[in-house]
Amino acid sequence: MKSDSHVDKEIAQTFVTSKVTRTRSLSEWRLFFSLAICATIFYLQFLTNDGPESLSVDYDRWTGLASHCSDAQPINGSEILQRQENLAKILYDNGASAYIAEPGANAQYFGNISEATWHLSERPLLLIISPILEEASIVAKVTVITPAFEETRARLLPIPGIDVSFVSWAEDEDPYTVALSTLELEPGKPIYVDGMMRYFIVDGFQKAAPGIRVMFAPLEVTQLRARKSQAELDLLRCANEVTVLCIRAVQAQMYIGIRESQVRVMIDEALAAAGLAERWALVLFGENAALPHGSGSDRALGKADFILIDAGGTLLEYHSDVTRTFMLHDSSIPPEHTRIWYDVHAAQTLAHAAAREGTNTSAVDKAARDWLDGRGYKGYFTHRLGHGIGLEDHEGPYLRGGTDDIIQKGNAFSNEPGIYIEGKVGIRLEDCFYIDKGGNSVFLTKGIGGQAFSPLHP
């Protein structure tokens, strides 16, 4: 019998890789994939007969995971200062008085204030960035509005900025009136607020300044965070790579009869060993995976069951999000389920080929959906293709139908087609990618192989 690696090479030559010729028609791809899927299912029946002993090696439980991202560096202060300057220029050009955010992804991006460093409460702490004209140059004025009794703690926050000022409000004062007193307000000049800001804060500003428009930040502002820098991409790349490595490490220790809850513990241990924070994981066996975000039933793994693990965490505030649906060496997956796996893999590959600078995000979703519809799964791909990823696990822009968003260099997305047949099977494959300087899509997991290779090799 051929070795796994030899057979995998034949599959790789037969099946699709990420180096896709983008000019082929959809009908040509349908024929190509259909023939390739039949061939790979045939090969896979032989792969699973080798038995688990072919994988037996002596190794530490989570070998290599801790070192994979050990050299990762946080975003430095100079990059955050540049972000503030870019924002100030947009505010000035748009005639806006200021941009206001509370601790979260946007305050993290512009001021290094995350929810992890400052817990949200009913007492608002606010980051305000306003444009100042100094000697024909636009500079960013950074102000932090803080509860008076928390001012000392607020001053300990590592907020980059030139002459950051702290303004406190007492318990018997209106924080929004105090915040507005720091700005040069003019009729007709709006105040932009973080689109994720809690409503009671937006309402507070509107009441404190009835003659001023308080509005969510426009596209010019939101696109700043949507287009990732090289330093951001480096963090996203490492976080997503090590998440795949964690899933592979867990697969190597699984066995027929293990329970979903046991695997959840294992994947959390692996992610922790890898140094990821804010860890999470979905572990679903067999028909349980037909609910895309199901909680499972803690069922035992059967020989005919696929395993779905959707997992992630944060590396220095930047997120990973990876899904693998896979089998074990002892598994005996029904051929019809294996065929679905390869159809989903083909959909992911076609979407990746369609994602380029200047493309409408809805066209990328359509590339995957049209393929799956043509394979007879119309109605079983029940969610959008993907979401943006960065300081938030799910952020804009989104890969879905009905949008006019245009893909730009530096955008990062998930690519996660799936087929869900309730009561029978659920299969999803997810890798995140970014748009490089040449306008092409590159998997963030490319450094460790990119997409899943086969059901047996995630």
Side-chain angles (χ1 to χ4, degrees):
M1 181 177 292
K2 297 176 181 178
S3 68
D4 285 2
S5 61
H6 183 83
V7 175
D8 281 350
K9 288 178 181 177
E10 292 193 34
I11 295 175
Q13 293 166 353
T14 305
F15 196 61
V16 64
T17 70
S18 60
K19 296 180 179 179
V20 177
T21 303
R22 300 175 185 269
T23 57
R24 291 180 183 269
S25 68
L26 184 59
S27 60
E28 289 176 312
W29 279 119
R30 283 176 175 165
L31 176 60
F32 176 74
F33 283 134
S34 297
L35 294 173
I37 288 167
C38 292
T40 50
I41 291 173
F42 174 77
Y43 279 129
L44 200 58
Q45 305 310 308
F46 290 95
L47 281 175
T48 57
N49 288 333
D50 285 349
E53 63 276 4
S54 62
L55 290 179
S56 61
V57 291
D58 293 325
Y59 60 92
D60 183 29
R61 187 172 172 85
W62 309 123
T63 299
L65 295 180
S67 62
H68 191 78
C69 296
S70 59
D71 294 333
Q73 297 295 317
I75 302 299
N76 61 43
S78 61
E79 181 163 329
I80 296 177
L81 289 175
Q82 185 61 56
R83 295 170 179 177
Q84 294 171 357
E85 182 179 325
N86 294 340
L87 174 59
K89 289 178 180 178
I90 292 173
L91 296 173
Y92 183 83
D93 290 343
N94 286 13
S97 297
Y99 172 84
I100 305 175
E102 61 174 336
N106 287 304
Q108 171 76 19
Y109 185 81
F110 291 115
N112 201 35
I113 309 174
S114 68
E115 285 190 59
T117 57
W118 194 279
H119 179 68
L120 297 181
S121 77
E122 75 281 6
R123 297 182 176 98
L125 178 129
L126 303 169
L127 173 72
I128 301 179
I129 296 177
S130 50
I132 303 296
L133 182 62
E134 289 186 356
E135 300 179 355
S137 297
I138 306 300
V139 298
K141 175 187 175 185
V142 180
T143 305
V144 177
I145 307 299
T146 174
F149 78 99
E150 296 271 39
E151 182 175 349
T152 300
R153 183 165 74 96
R155 288 180 178 275
L156 296 175
L157 293 170
I159 304 172
I162 301 173
D163 297 325
V164 177
S165 61
F166 292 80
V167 178
S168 64
W169 56 275
E171 296 276 61
D172 58 354
E173 291 183 296
D174 177 43
Y176 313 108
T177 300
V178 171
L180 293 173
S181 70
T182 69
L183 303 177
E184 297 179 5
L185 299 176
E186 296 180 23
K189 295 183 68 174
I191 294 172
Y192 294 159
V193 296
D194 175 0
M196 299 299 290
M197 183 176 281
R198 293 173 293 172
Y199 176 74
F200 77 86
I201 297 177
V202 178
D203 184 58
F205 277 115
Q206 290 174 330
K207 290 177 178 177
I212 301 295
R213 282 187 301 151
V214 179
M215 57 189 293
F216 290 133
L219 185 63
E220 300 99 305
V221 173
T222 60
Q223 283 182 342
L224 291 176
R225 186 158 74 87
R227 301 180 68 177
K228 274 60 180 181
S229 68
Q230 188 59 54
E232 291 180 289
L233 291 173
D234 288 343
L235 291 173
L236 287 169
R237 182 183 299 110
C238 202
N240 281 272
E241 284 180 353
V242 83
T243 301
V244 173
L245 296 179
C246 288
I247 293 173
R248 291 174 182 170
V250 167
Q251 182 204 28
Q253 300 177 54
M254 291 179 63
Y255 52 88
I256 302 301
I258 195 171
R259 293 192 172 276
E260 291 171 333
S261 60
Q262 292 174 278
V263 178
R264 279 195 295 272
V265 171
M266 292 167 66
I267 190 67
D268 185 69
E269 288 179 356
L271 293 168
L276 298 189
E278 300 180 40
R279 302 178 301 278
W280 57 270
L282 295 175
V283 177
L284 302 168
F285 296 166
E287 73 282 354
N288 284 351
L291 300 180
H293 288 164
S295 57
S297 60
D298 200 25
R299 72 193 286 284
L301 180 66
K303 289 179 71 70
D305 294 332
F306 265 134
I307 302 134
L308 185 151
I309 296 181
D310 185 350
T314 59
L315 176 65
L316 298 171
E317 306 291 345
Y318 284 82
H319 285 262
S320 66
D321 193 353
V322 173
T323 305
R324 290 290 186 268
T325 303
F326 58 91
M327 60 191 286
L328 305 183
H329 248 277
D330 283 350
S331 299
S332 181
I333 305 298
E336 60 269 26
H337 294 179
T338 304
R339 184 167 56 251
I340 295 172
W341 191 99
Y342 280 104
D343 279 328
V344 171
H345 189 278
Q348 187 189 43
T349 304
L350 287 169
H352 188 66
R356 293 178 57 85
E357 180 189 17
T359 301
N360 191 301
T361 54
S362 63
V364 184
D365 179 280
K366 188 175 187 296
R369 202 168 301 277
D370 282 354
W371 162 255
L372 292 173
D373 286 354
R375 293 290 293 170
Y377 306 116
K378 189 174 181 63
Y380 293 107
F381 178 18
T382 55
H383 53 74
R384 67 188 176 217
L385 178 68
H387 53 78
I389 190 167
L391 286 168
E392 294 177 284
D393 185 25
H394 289 200
E395 61 183 41
Y398 296 89
L399 301 178
R400 64 177 183 85
T403 71
D404 295 321
D405 292 331
I406 301 298
I407 294 176
Q408 297 181 319
K409 293 175 185 176
N411 284 164
F413 301 94
S414 70
N415 176 353
E416 48 183 307
I419 292 297
Y420 311 96
I421 303 174
E422 292 187 15
K424 293 184 178 180
V425 66
I427 295 170
R428 179 167 68 254
L429 297 172
E430 176 184 15
D431 290 86
C432 293
F433 69 93
Y434 69 98
I435 304 300
D436 68 11
K437 293 179 181 179
N440 300 306
S441 54
V442 180
F443 281 121
L444 287 166
T445 50
K446 179 181 178 181
I448 46 103
Q451 294 168 282
F453 191 73
S454 73
L456 190 58
H457 297 89

